[in-house]
Amino acid sequence: PAQCEIDVSAVMSSVAIIVAPGTLVDFDVTPIMGAAGSGADDFFRDPASAHLRIRGKAIMSDVRVKVRRLGF
């Protein structure tokens, strides 16, 4: 499966990463006076699909992974 690594450094901002359903997401973002979270864990994960690694820091920022349903 395809692999992609994203390093996030957010300062006083908002970052939204949109993935397809079934994408494996390894989310490790440290919030400092901010928020970070992944909604990809709520969906079925297909082991044959793409693997996305997200690492970094959110300083007074919001970093989120959102799953977009196909066809919308």
Side-chain angles (χ1 to χ4, degrees):
Q3 246 183 341
C4 180
E5 197 164 319
I6 297 175
D7 290 322
V8 175
S9 295
V11 179
M12 296 177 63
S13 61
S14 180
V15 177
I17 300 169
I18 301 170
V19 299
T23 302
L24 294 170
V25 177
D26 180 15
F27 188 80
D28 186 21
V29 175
T30 304
I32 300 169
M33 293 178 59
S38 172
D41 295 334
D42 300 338
F43 289 83
F44 170 76
R45 293 193 237 181
D46 182 5
S49 70
H51 186 183
L52 181 63
R53 288 189 177 138
I54 302 169
R55 309 252 188 267
K57 292 187 173 142
I59 302 169
M60 296 174 60
S61 300
D62 182 38
V63 177
R64 300 279 176 206
V65 175
K66 300 177 183 180
V67 177
R68 173 172 243 160
R69 294 186 185 140
L70 298 177
F72 291 95

